[in-house]
């Protein structure tokens, strides 16, 4: 069973390893979501820390709209906002607002509209020519400032259409390794793009993308630093604004055969994935970065140095306008603040990478964790394996967590922990199956020998995990019916079977109820032992008590047998306590749980002594000593039985009631027996003579009278009181 269990455990463990490796390769959506949750937990564990002092937000908020008028504002006001920011000394400005149509509030546009629709030509006097067209005015301002305008790429399904003018992205210097393709070939490609009107697009320092997509669960964890419109790679708004803020007109991209690996901007090498995305190391919920109300900037209510040298992103969080996106920290993170978080990640160099060696690392971790847990859960007890398995999982978890916190490497612990849990589940499931099988085997093996309570105890405590055998100190009982063959020689076989069934039923019940193990029946003989397969406290007394109860039960049974069969049964029993080999013995086809050894043979010899002394019970001195004070014993002899060289003190046993009734007789006999052992045969004989006359039914006294008569005058010099029996 042990080797079979080990083989199944190893096989199941290897299957678990294979399954987890396949799940890692398959990247099923559920596990990807779990992986993302782990990433979020690790990211939150990194702590907020102090953000970079470069990114800032200018918010066209509720107060700005209430004070300066409803949205959309005339674009001359946006121009004034850009002028005010430039006066504050900002490094660059990124406008997170799509301007795909002309400003309808431009005097030039609405005066033409009035003339076309109503035939009315407004008389506009005193208005400078540059303010006749708000878009032209905004464009004239942007031409002088480091301003990035937003565009948005679209797929064909989203209504893609060609732009009125080609985009003007920030210059991208591609450094390609041998075998690498163009940057656009590695990027998400889109057919359409929403562009600012040509007047504004031509005036901006660069056109950049405001696109950002969440993961499968809708949470924004990473942003594309590049996307492609057809074959044109375009930077993100955050990347372009940061480059302009650093005084750079371009960014450098390093490309290998697998795609872009890093971007250099503001003197910093930024690691990116093969698709051009970068994980954002968010520091917390919305409001992490300084926010300035647009109305305060326009009115000059911001302190003189508050915006100096900053990269500013202009957008709106007003009701109905704000763009909210779920992040690992915040379910309603402002989209405007996303650009600041991207630049903060770059400037603080809080990069989170999934290294190229992560797959190999994860596979090695799976194999190591799987092998260790397979051995742990397959060998150790649950009290040991469960805490150690939990500790192993904790180590894997915190090891991966620390790797991300300290070095910025995200290597998921999911699959290593999964293999530990899977190995634990499978191992305990197999353990359950094998233990259930062992329990059934134990029930089959012991239900015929011991009581259901002992079977339950064996199974519950696991006290017998193997039946191969062990040395145990046991008390062995043999019983036999006297003259059974002559009594039944004229009976039909069916009658013999019926009578034996009537006899053995109460005897078996007594053995089992006293926690004894029934070994076998041989004809009219019965063998039982105590203290195996489970420990039985005070087992010598339990054996003696059982033999006394068997005699009491036989006395009650004899009244029925005498009526039915015309005779009474007499029983003799012997008990010896000592060491024996106990276990399953036999052949592969026929096994029996039994005990063998000198202790068993001695108990059998003692049972054979009963008729020689005319008693129903003979126990050894070893058993009698263990029962001192618990049963009434009477010495019978010191004998040397066949097969043993040493003498064995033997005793018979009385119930307490009978011992009290015969106390004077027993006391005299003990004195006579002591004199006999000491070699004072005359004195011993005198007492035996008086006892024989007083108790004519007791064979014992007559036996010793005969011995003493032979010993008087011719006792051996080496007398030790031991009587030798040459037959069994």
């Amino acid at each position: 069973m042990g080797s079979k269990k080990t083989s199944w455990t190893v096989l199941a463990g290897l299957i678990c390893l294979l399954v987890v490796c396949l799940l890692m390769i398959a990247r099923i959506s559920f596990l990807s979501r779990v992986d993302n949750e782990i990433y979020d937990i690790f990211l939150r564990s990194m702590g907020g820390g102090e953000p970079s002092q470069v990114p800032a937000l200018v918010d066209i908020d509720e107060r700005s709209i209430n004070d300066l008028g409803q949205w959309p504002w005339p674009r001359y006001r946006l121009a004034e906002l850009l002028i005010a920011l430039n006066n504050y000394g900002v490094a660059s400005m990124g406008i997170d607002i799509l301007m795909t149509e002309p400003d309808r509030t431009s005097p030039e546009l609405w005066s033409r509209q009035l003339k076309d629709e109503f035939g009315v030509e407004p008389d506009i006097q005193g208005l400078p020519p540059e303010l006749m067209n708000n878009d032209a005015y905004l464009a004239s301002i942007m031409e002088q400032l480091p301003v990035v305008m937003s565009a948005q790429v679209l797929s064909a399904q989203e209504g893609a259409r060609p732009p009125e003018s080609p985009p003007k992205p920030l210059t991208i210097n591609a450094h390609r390794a041998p075998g690498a393709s163009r940057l656009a070939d590695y990027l998400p490609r889109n057919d359409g793009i929403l562009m600012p009107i040509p007047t504004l697009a031509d005036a901006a320092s660069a056109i950049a993308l405001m696109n950002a997509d969440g993961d499968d669960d809708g949470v924004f964890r990473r942003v594309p630093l590049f996307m492609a419109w057809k074959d044109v790679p375009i930077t993100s708004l955050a990347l372009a604004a940061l480059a302009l803020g650093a005084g750079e007109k371009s960014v450098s991209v390093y490309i290998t055969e697998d795609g872009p690996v890093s971007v250099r901007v503001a003197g910093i090498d930024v690691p990116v994935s093969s698709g051009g995305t970068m994980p954002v190391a968010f520091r917390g919920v919305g409001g992490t970065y300084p926010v300035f109300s647009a109305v305060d900037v326009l009115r000059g209510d911001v302190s003189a140095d508050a915006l100096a040298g900053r990269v500013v992103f202009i957008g709106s969080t007003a009701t109905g306008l704000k763009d909210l996106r779920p992040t690992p920290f915040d379910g309603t993170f402002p989209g405007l603040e996303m650009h600041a978080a991207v630049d903060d990640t770059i400037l603080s160099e809080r990069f989170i990478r999934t290294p190229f060696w992560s797959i190999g690392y994860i596979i090695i971790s799976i194999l190591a964790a799987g092998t260790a847990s397979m051995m742990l859960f397959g060998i150790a007890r649950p009290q040991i394996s469960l805490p150690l398995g939990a500790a192993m999982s904790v180590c894997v978890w915190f090891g991966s967590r620390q790797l991300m916190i300290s070095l910025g490497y995200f290597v998921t612990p999911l699959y290593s922990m999964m293999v530990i849990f899977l190995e634990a589940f499978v191992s305990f499931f197999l353990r359950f199956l094998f233990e259930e099988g062992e329990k059934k085997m134990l029930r089959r093996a012991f239900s015929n020998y011991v009581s259901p309570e002992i079977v339950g105890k064996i199974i519950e405590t696991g006290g017998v995990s193997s039946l191969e055998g062990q040395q145990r100190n046991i008390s062995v009982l043999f019983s036999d019916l006297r003259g059974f063959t002559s009594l039944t020689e004229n009976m039909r076989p069916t009658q013999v079977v019926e009578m034996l069934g009537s006899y053995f039923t109460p005897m078996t019940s007594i053995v089992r109820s006293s926690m004894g193990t029934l070994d076998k029946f041989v004809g009219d003989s019965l063998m039982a032992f105590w203290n195996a397969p489970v420990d039985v406290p005070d087992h010598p007394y339990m054996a003696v008590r059982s033999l006394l109860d068997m005699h009491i039960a036989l006395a009650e049974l004899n009244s029925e047998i005498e009526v039915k069969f015309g005779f009474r049964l007499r029983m003799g029993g012997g008990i010896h306590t000592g060491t024996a080999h106990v276990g399953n013995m036999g052949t592969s086809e026929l096994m029996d749980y039994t005990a063998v050894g000198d202790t068993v043979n001695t108990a059998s010899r003692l049972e054979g002594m009963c008729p020689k002394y005319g008693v129903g019970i003979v126990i050894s001195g070893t058993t009698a000593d263990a029962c001192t004070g618990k049963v009434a014993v009477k010495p019978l002899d010191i004998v040397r039985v066949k097969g043993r060289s040493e003498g064995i003190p033997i005793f018979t046993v009385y119930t307490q009631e009978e011992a009290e009734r015969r106390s004077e007789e027993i006391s005299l006999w003990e004195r006579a027996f002591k004199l006999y052992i000491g070699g004072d045969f005359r004195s011993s004989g005198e007492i035996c003579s008086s006892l024989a006359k007083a108790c004519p039914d007791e064979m014992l006294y007559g036996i010793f009278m005969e011995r003493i008569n032979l010993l008087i005058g011719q006792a051996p010099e080496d007398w030790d009181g031991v009587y030798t029996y040459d037959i069994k």
Side-chain angles (χ1 to χ4, degrees), residues 194-211:
L194 291 177
M195 285 278 292
I197 60 175
T199 301
L200 301 178
D202 293 341
S205 301
I207 300 298
L209 298 176
M210 61 192 307
N211 292 72

Side-chain angles (χ1 to χ4, degrees), residues 527-706:
M527 174 184 168
F529 50 84
W530 281 256
N531 207 42
V534 297
D535 294 337
V536 177
D538 207 9
H539 58 88
Y541 170 71
M542 299 296 284
V544 173
R545 183 68 258 176
S546 296
L547 190 50
L548 281 169
D549 290 341
M550 290 165 71
H551 276 280
I552 295 172
L554 181 60
E556 297 174 356
L557 182 64
N558 266 330
S559 58
E560 299 178 13
I561 291 178
E562 188 172 17
V563 171
K564 197 166 189 179
F565 299 104
F567 54 80
R568 299 177 69 86
L569 296 176
R570 292 179 299 111
M571 179 180 69
I575 299 174
H576 180 50
T577 300
T579 302
H581 187 83
V582 185
N584 254 348
M585 299 176 201
T587 67
S588 58
E589 286 129 9
L590 183 61
M591 300 292 289
D592 189 22
Y593 187 79
T594 187
V596 296
D598 183 66
T599 296
V600 178
N601 297 335
T602 300
S604 176
R605 301 289 188 272
L606 296 183
E607 180 273 322
M609 296 286 174
C610 289
K612 293 179 172 58
Y613 293 90
V615 294
I617 298 175
V618 176
I619 66 174
S620 69
T622 307
T623 304
D625 290 343
C627 296
T628 301
K630 299 173 184 175
V631 294
V633 297
K634 172 183 174 181
L636 291 178
D637 206 345
I638 301 176
V639 298
R640 186 178 291 112
V641 298
K642 188 173 179 61
R644 290 183 66 101
S645 58
E646 305 87 16
I648 302 174
I650 59 174
F651 299 79
T652 192
V653 183
Y654 295 125
T655 62
Q656 290 295 341
E657 295 80 6
E658 187 174 5
E660 290 174 3
R661 180 170 56 83
R662 302 175 63 172
S663 60
E664 185 177 351
E665 173 198 342
I666 294 173
S667 177
L668 284 173
W669 164 245
E670 289 176 346
R671 181 183 173 193
F673 185 69
K674 186 176 182 181
L675 292 169
Y676 169 79
I677 298 299
D680 189 350
F681 302 120
R682 292 189 184 278
S683 299
S684 176
E686 292 174 0
I687 299 174
C688 287
S689 177
S690 62
L691 286 173
K693 293 176 182 176
C695 307
D697 295 332
E698 285 291 315
M699 289 178 55
L700 180 64
Y701 309 134
I703 292 171
F704 272 82
M705 283 291 298
E706 292 179 5

Side-chain angles (χ1 to χ4, degrees), residues 48-238:
E50 287 296 324
S52 168
Q53 298 302 305
V54 173
L57 309 175
V58 171
D59 186 11
I60 303 172
D61 55 8
E62 297 281 358
R63 187 163 63 87
S64 298
I65 292 174
N66 290 336
D67 289 359
L68 301 178
Q70 68 182 16
W71 185 262
W73 281 350
R75 287 181 183 155
Y76 70 79
R77 186 167 293 146
L78 290 177
E80 294 302 308
L81 182 60
L82 297 181
I83 294 170
L85 287 170
N86 186 63
N87 292 336
Y88 275 111
V90 300
S92 65
M93 292 164 276
I95 300 176
D96 187 33
I97 302 169
L98 278 174
M99 300 182 192
T100 59
E101 295 182 356
D103 184 353
R104 297 182 183 277
T105 66
S106 296
E108 182 182 278
L109 185 61
W110 59 258
S111 63
R112 186 186 307 122
Q113 188 175 0
L114 287 175
K115 183 178 179 180
D116 292 344
E117 294 184 9
F118 298 101
V120 177
E121 188 170 354
D123 183 13
I124 303 174
Q125 298 181 5
L127 189 66
E130 62 268 19
L131 294 182
M132 287 297 293
N133 187 306
N134 292 341
D135 292 323
Y137 178 63
L138 177 59
S140 68
I141 299 301
M142 287 197 301
E143 286 177 343
Q144 309 169 49
L145 305 176
V147 177
V148 182
M149 292 206 71
S150 292
Q152 186 175 20
V153 292
L154 301 171
S155 64
Q157 291 78 11
E158 296 173 304
R161 63 179 187 270
E164 296 180 26
S165 62
K168 186 174 71 174
L170 192 71
T171 302
I172 300 173
N173 300 318
H175 302 274
R176 294 188 290 178
S181 184
R182 301 175 305 165
L183 175 60
D185 294 336
Y186 299 102
L187 303 178
R189 188 172 302 206
N190 298 271
D191 299 323
I193 187 170
L194 291 177
M195 285 278 292
I197 60 175
T199 301
L200 301 178
D202 293 341
S205 301
I207 300 298
L209 298 176
M210 61 192 307
N211 292 72
D213 295 319
D215 291 330
D216 292 340
D217 56 1
V219 178
F220 288 77
R221 298 180 178 87
R222 49 190 61 82
V223 296
L225 295 185
F226 305 95
M227 294 185 77
W229 173 70
K230 296 188 175 181
D231 290 331
V232 180
I234 305 175
T235 66
S236 69
L237 178 63

Side-chain angles (χ1 to χ4, degrees), residues 458-516:
I458 294 170
I459 294 170
E460 178 184 351
T461 62
V464 179
S465 58
S466 170
L467 302 179
E468 293 178 357
Q470 54 187 317
Q471 294 291 116
R472 293 184 69 94
N473 182 267
I474 62 174
S475 294
V476 184
L477 178 152
F478 275 89
S479 71
D480 183 61
L481 292 177
R482 298 288 170 249
F484 182 74
T485 302
S486 60
L487 288 174
T488 59
E489 60 184 4
N490 295 321
M491 295 174 62
R492 296 190 303 274
T494 54
Q495 290 179 308
V496 175
V497 171
E498 180 185 357
M499 186 186 67
L500 284 176
S502 301
Y503 165 70
F504 281 130
T505 297
M507 305 303 143
T508 301
S509 177
I510 290 169
V511 170
R512 297 175 68 181
S513 64
S514 64
M515 302 184 69

Side-chain angles (χ1 to χ4, degrees), residues 241-257:
L242 179 59
L244 289 180
E248 300 172 355
K249 300 295 185 181
S250 64
V251 294
S252 296
V253 183
Y254 298 90
I255 308 170
T256 67
E257 292 182 2

